[in-house]
Amino acid sequence: MEYISPEGLRLDGRRPKELRQLSCQFGILAKADGSATFEMGNTKVLAAVFGPHEVEQRSKAQPGRAIVQCEYAMAAFSTGERRKRGKTDRRSTELSTIIRNCLEQTILLELMPSSQIDVYVQVLQADGGTRCACINAAMLAIAEAGIPVRDLMAACAAGYLDSTSILDMNYMEDSGGGPDVAVAIHPNLNKTVLLQMDNKIAVDVFEGVYGLAEQGCKAVAQYMRQQLLAHVQRLAVMRGPTRL
Ligand code: ADP
């Protein structure tokens, strides 16, 4: 199968270094302390944050910091196959741990001792890159909940098909058998929070693919920052002038 046309276009018409269309919404769940959806093309995920609140299982409490619980799940209808997917299968358990790990590096846990933050991420529609979309949605929901962070966290993946590094693969591309390098960063701290890859990849190819994923993360971070700012401005207008 040809993934890049002679004109240099991908199956969905994108250029190799082009992200899919990004979209997000805030505060869509009334009962959560923070919630957000994040879309990368046809991949759509929802994140809900509860807390910080008192630790439910006392034995898990950390006197000097908050703990984070995270649950990743794919909706049965998310891939179109309507296959029931548990939240306890191996992949979901791995992703719950990965996302929790990213959030633990991002949230200022030491400011909330002996407390707990619960994060739920649900894939509503899967078209590749769900782990990165979930990390981005979780970050936005954490920000919406007003939880303090070290830096904004943004995630994006890149791959390699037809001897070309390509950004933000959709499911068709992801199924092409090439490497998939998922990266999450703290853009202002210049720190890599997550680096994962499946499939073997030559060192020189890896450098190009990793660099592209990092560029994608920076573009996603810029989009998230703009959207958060616009959301806060909307809230300020809705609440009206503050009386001192
Ligand atoms: P990741 O972001 O971890 O690489 P993906 O989003 O690529 O994961 O895929 C998540 C799961 O959903 C995988 O098991 C994949 O095979 C499946 N999947 C994703 N998109 C589709 C789709 N459009 N049709 C069928 N299965 C899909």
Side-chain angles (χ1 to χ4, degrees), residues 55-108:
V55 178
E56 275 154 15
Q57 249 180 296
R58 280 210 177 157
S59 58
K60 287 194 176 170
Q62 297 279 337
R65 67 173 186 94
I67 58 165
V68 180
Q69 306 272 18
C70 183
E71 194 178 290
Y72 165 100
M74 286 185 80
F77 51 81
S78 61
T79 61
E81 293 166 0
R82 280 172 286 152
R83 180 152 58 94
K84 191 119 185 70
R85 288 168 189 267
K87 50 184 187 267
T88 49
D89 64 69
R90 239 180 97 211
R91 183 174 174 274
S92 299
T93 308
E94 181 213 333
L95 281 175
S96 300
T97 307
I98 284 166
I99 299 167
R100 192 192 71 218
N101 196 286
C102 288
L103 291 170
E104 282 175 345
Q105 294 179 65
T106 304
I107 300 170
L108 289 166

Side-chain angles (χ1 to χ4, degrees), residues 19 145 154 205:
L19 277 173
V205 172

